[in-house]
Amino acid sequence: MRKIMLLGGPGSGKGTQAQILQEEYKIPQISTGDIIRAAIKAQTPLGQKFQTYSNKGKLVPDKLVVALVEERMKEPDVAQGWILDGFPRTIKQAKALDTMLKRRKEALEGVILLQVPEEILFERLTGRRTCSVCKQTFHTKFKPAPEHGCTDGGPHILEHRKDDSPEVVPVRLEAFQHETAPLIDYYKAQGKLHLVEGDQSMEQVRAQFKQLMGD
Ligand SMILES: [Zn+2]
């Protein structure tokens, strides 16, 4: 598989895996968040439209997001494949993507769901701390910050993001469940859904991905 989509909740390690796949298989990660920001910055015709919606605080219509993804897929570096990340989010978007790909005589080859039990996501997210000086990420239990070792050998100044608080994390996990469950069924029905157990060692996760990607 070289034309894939990654699904995974907050804290699942989806971003890290996308980075690894991108380097290993030389296929770019298409993250809609990133390309929307880039299009606005470059002030492309689509970027200007996005800007209008964002200025008004309005939700960007699916049609525009799909158009932007299509624009990205026309670039030469994605000829060998791509990794969709953060898109589609809804069944409506998934259907629009299917239509667009069909028109381009392409197809999504597989959807990989990085599955991690909720209680583990909760533990991973709530324990996360970021140093406000060097921006390194730590974890209270899995990767404690050393006493020294920040810029100039000083102590790290750890911050606990509000998003990662025990009050907010369940809301994020719930939102992911709510948003993703229909997509899981949608791609299962197409025979495209693959599961990777995210609650294993990094090596085991990578081995499972390798098997799925097939090389
Ligand atoms: Zn630091």
Side-chain angles (χ1 to χ4, degrees):
M1 298 196 295
R2 289 298 181 268
K3 294 172 180 177
I4 63 165
M5 173 198 172
L6 288 189
L7 268 176
S12 65
K14 174 171 70 91
T16 311
Q17 290 307 323
Q19 285 293 324
I20 293 173
L21 293 176
Q22 172 166 279
E23 279 163 35
E24 233 161 60
Y25 298 98
K26 309 285 173 235
I27 49 175
Q29 171 187 12
I30 300 183
S31 149
T32 41
D34 290 348
I35 51 178
I36 287 173
R37 276 187 292 274
I40 290 177
K41 207 175 161 200
Q43 287 289 300
T44 63
L46 272 175
Q48 287 174 3
K49 281 188 192 163
F50 276 109
Q51 179 113 61
T52 317
Y53 282 97
S54 129
N55 286 348
K56 289 179 189 159
K58 277 190 179 168
L59 217 63
V60 179
D62 290 343
K63 235 168 60 183
L64 271 187
V65 183
V66 175
L68 194 74
V69 172
E70 182 168 11
E71 205 174 70
R72 179 69 184 87
M73 283 183 175
K74 286 177 184 161
E75 285 171 38
D77 64 325
V78 288
Q80 301 307 316
W82 30 258
I83 306 161
L84 288 175
D85 175 14
F87 171 85
R89 277 189 199 282
T90 61
I91 296 289
K92 219 176 133 199
Q93 286 186 351
K95 286 183 176 163
L97 173 70
D98 282 347
T99 308
M100 181 265 274
L101 289 174
K102 205 171 169 187
R103 178 159 39 76
R104 293 176 50 78
K105 301 194 173 20
E106 278 193 84
L108 176 66
E109 293 168 353
V111 174
I112 301 176
L113 173 64
L114 198 53
Q115 213 170 31
V116 183
E118 282 219 354
E119 59 272 23
I120 294 187
L121 292 179
F122 181 88
E123 198 181 19
R124 283 187 187 171
L125 291 167
T126 53
R128 198 155 68 174
R129 300 289 184 277
T130 309
C131 174
S132 60
V133 182
C134 65
K135 308 293 174 202
Q136 280 190 76
T137 308
F138 301 99
H139 191 282
T140 49
K141 187 171 160 192
F142 307 125
K143 193 189 171 191
E147 241 174 83
H148 299 283
C150 195
T151 323
D152 301 328
H156 295 285
I157 311 294
L158 297 183
E159 278 183 346
H160 191 189
R161 280 173 45 199
K162 207 175 164 207
D163 259 14
D164 293 336
S165 69
E167 293 74 35
V168 179
V169 166
V171 179
R172 293 171 63 198
L173 293 177
E174 170 63 30
F176 173 75
Q177 280 304 332
H178 184 78
E179 195 170 70
T180 319
L183 283 178
I184 292 176
D185 291 339
Y186 181 79
Y187 288 117
K188 214 185 252 173
Q190 290 191 355
K192 288 182 179 168
L193 191 78
H194 304 275
L195 292 184
V196 168
E197 296 292 336
D199 181 25
Q200 322 176 76
S201 72
M202 190 63 141
E203 290 72 36
Q204 284 170 312
V205 172
R206 284 187 67 173
Q208 255 194 293
F209 265 97
K210 215 166 180 167
Q211 201 176 13
L212 282 174
M213 298 296 286
D215 55 350

